[in-house]
Structure formats: structure tokens, C-alpha cells
Amino acid sequence: MSEERTVFLIAHTGREAALRSVEGLVHGLLKEGIRIRLLASEAVGLDLPDGVERVPGGHGAADGCELILVAGGDGTLLRGAELARESGLPMLGINLGRVGFLAEAERDDLAVVVERVVKADYEIEDRMTLDVLVRTNGDVVHQDWALNEASIEKAARERMLEVVTEVDGRPVSNFGCDGVVLSTPTGSTAYAFSGGGPVVWPEVEALLMVPISAHALFARPLVTSPDSVLAVEVQPKTPHGVLWCDGRRSVELPAGARVEVRRGSTPVRLARLHQAPFTDRLVAKFALPVTGWRGRGKVC
């Protein structure tokens, strides 16, 4: 008797179209003998067979699974990344939203996803993460992590946040700003991109520091070694700020707080169905105009 195989499903179920896509995915996998496990809270509103395993969540929710399937937009994919990092399982994203840079398939690819999952026909790619520390008066008061970015932001709309930035223990600049984004290459196409940061190919190992609306002559995005330690200090006489990790988890930063970011000790593993160059993904996701490209000339 063959060993039972189980995948963990995380889905955005807030829209009717998404519900139907998730139901189609579940029925397709069950038909091929792949068991499904999902959070009980996400099963509400879905028309699912009784055989689908529903769990309350928490530590160990994905124990015994071979893969995490995530169907939704960017926010859902980042939620799936939390479970992927905790469990060490690869995550395969299906984009049901708009951009979905972390996704490997689109809504129309559900049949292909089922086929590839059944055959375990995918490559695993490790994505760099960030380990994040918050210090006050030298003491560590908060620890977190991020796949895309850790962003230090102002809490009051009417007041700028005064900060000093630092790389590898040396000061770089101080300025007033709306915030500073500390990003991985994966996050270079997320918040850092909106702030004017460079797009960094995923295979490039680096850390990014991108000021947001800084009032300074020198407030350019910086790209540093992946072994660097980046820090942002909230000035003592400035209003408090907020630290956001991947736009999902937040903690208040009192005046004088210091945020330190370094390469994460635990990567997030992504399941890849396609070996297409990142350049093609960039063009497709952002609908970049490439009309007129002639490519390499013919070799005589």
C-alpha cells in the first residue's frame, strides 16, 4: 500500500471567483489521491468533501505534509510564507490576485498545478530572509523576521520620522523621512520598489536600504553585502515610529529605538514549476513594453 501524501492549503476565500478556484484545486488533488489539510477558519464558505482535514492552526499544523499550496494574492502568499518558514516545507503559490511575484502559477494553470504536484515535478529554490531585532537602551525588546522587508515608518501622518542610518556599525546619514525600507532581493519588487529602490534579481545575495520620502541631499537606495548588518535608529526627540515586517506584523518603536537587520538564519523554500528567466517574470508581472526588441543578431 502506497504512503498517503498530504498537502497543506492556504487560500484567500474573500471573493467568489477565488472560492471556486480553490474548490476546483481541492477536488482535482483529491481525485488524484492527494490528501488536503487546511485551516478550519478558511474552510468556511468552501464546498469541500468531508474527507478534507480541517485543523485549528498553531505550531505543527503542517506536520506530515509534503508541500504548502497557497492560492491568493500577495498578502495570502506572505501568510503562506510564515508557515513555510516555520515548517521548512516548500511553498507553491497560485496567484489569484494582481501581481503575485511569489506565485508560480496563475488562475488558469490549476490543472497544471495538480499534475505537477501529483508527480512531485517541481524544483526547490531557497529565498533569503531577514532576522530583525529591536533594541531600546541597548536591550533587545522584540525579535521578528521578514521575507520581503522590514520597514521603519512614521506613526503620525503630520510629522516626519527623524532617523540615523547605519551599515556595519558605521553611520551613513541622518534625515527626516516617511520611513526606511530594509529589504531582501525578493522584496525589491515590493515596498522597496515603490520607494524607488532597484530591482534585484533573486539569485543576487544582497541587502537593500531604501529611504522613503527623505528630506536630505543624500538619501539614495543602498545595496550592501548579504553579510552586512543594517540599522536604523529613531532619534530621541522625534515622534515614535512603527516597525512592520512584510506588512503583516507590527510593533511600536519609541523614540530612541534601534532596529537591526541581518541575513536571516532560516530561508523560505519556494517550489518552482518553471525555469523561465527572472527577466521574463519581471516583464510579465509589470506588463513592461518590449515592442521593438530584436534580440541577438544572426550569426553568419
Side-chain angles (χ1 to χ4, degrees):
M1 183 177 179
S2 61
E3 183 180 351
E4 289 185 331
R5 300 171 59 198
T6 305
V7 299
F8 198 102
L9 176 64
I10 293 178
H12 174 71
T13 56
R15 296 191 298 270
E16 186 68 23
L19 286 173
R20 303 291 79 82
S21 294
V22 172
E23 289 169 0
L25 182 64
V26 168
H27 286 281
L29 289 168
L30 289 174
K31 184 179 178 181
E32 295 294 336
I34 304 293
R35 298 185 61 188
I36 306 292
R37 184 184 304 169
L38 78 168
L39 298 176
S41 59
E42 294 185 353
V44 178
L46 287 170
D47 180 18
L48 300 176
D50 292 336
V52 173
E53 184 181 0
R54 296 160 172 83
V55 295
H59 183 72
D63 286 355
C65 295
E66 66 179 63
L67 179 71
I68 297 171
L69 274 177
V70 183
D74 291 314
T76 309
L77 292 165
L78 287 171
R79 181 156 55 91
E82 294 176 352
L83 182 59
R85 178 179 178 272
E86 175 194 312
S87 65
L89 294 173
M91 177 182 83
L92 199 164
I94 304 165
N95 181 35
L96 302 182
R98 290 180 294 177
V99 180
F101 252 98
L102 290 174
E104 189 63 10
E106 301 296 324
R107 189 190 306 270
D108 295 336
D109 300 328
L110 296 182
V112 174
V113 170
V114 170
E115 178 184 355
R116 300 288 286 274
V117 170
V118 169
K119 295 179 179 179
D121 183 14
Y122 46 80
E123 302 289 332
I124 304 298
E125 176 183 323
D126 284 352
R127 286 296 181 92
M128 179 179 169
T129 60
L130 303 176
D131 284 342
V132 185
L133 292 179
V134 180
R135 299 182 188 270
T136 58
N137 300 318
D139 297 325
V140 176
V141 296
H142 183 73
Q143 299 183 54
D144 214 315
W145 74 281
L147 173 60
N148 276 349
E149 76 280 311
S151 59
I152 296 91
E153 304 177 27
K154 65 180 185 180
R157 187 173 184 269
E158 68 277 7
R159 296 285 300 276
M160 287 190 300
L161 191 66
E162 299 287 340
V163 301
V164 177
T165 59
E166 173 191 301
V167 176
D168 294 331
R170 303 305 302 161
V172 175
S173 186
N174 64 15
F175 44 74
C177 59
D178 285 352
V180 180
V181 178
L182 308 176
S183 167
T184 65
T186 298
S188 71
T189 52
Y191 193 3
F193 177 84
S194 300
V199 174
V200 180
W201 266 233
E203 60 268 25
V204 175
E205 295 189 335
L207 298 176
L208 285 73
M209 178 183 285
V210 182
I212 304 298
S213 301
H215 288 241
L217 291 178
F218 182 84
R220 300 300 185 189
L222 304 179
V223 180
T224 73
S225 160
D227 298 319
S228 290
V229 178
L230 309 185
V232 176
E233 295 182 352
V234 179
Q235 291 295 276
K237 295 183 179 181
T238 193
H240 71 276
V242 179
L243 167 68
W244 284 94
C245 290
D246 285 338
R248 289 186 47 77
R249 304 174 303 279
S250 66
V251 63
E252 184 175 309
L253 298 174
R258 172 184 172 90
V259 178
E260 296 175 1
V261 163
R262 51 180 50 80
R263 181 181 192 150
S265 57
T266 306
V268 168
R269 306 174 70 209
L270 299 183
R272 289 300 191 198
L273 303 180
H274 312 289
Q275 295 303 312
F278 178 73
T279 308
D280 293 351
R281 184 183 296 267
L282 187 72
V283 169
K285 294 293 184 179
F286 285 144
L288 301 180
V290 293
T291 302
W293 178 69
R294 297 176 62 85
R296 296 176 180 174
K298 293 182 179 180
V299 178
C300 298

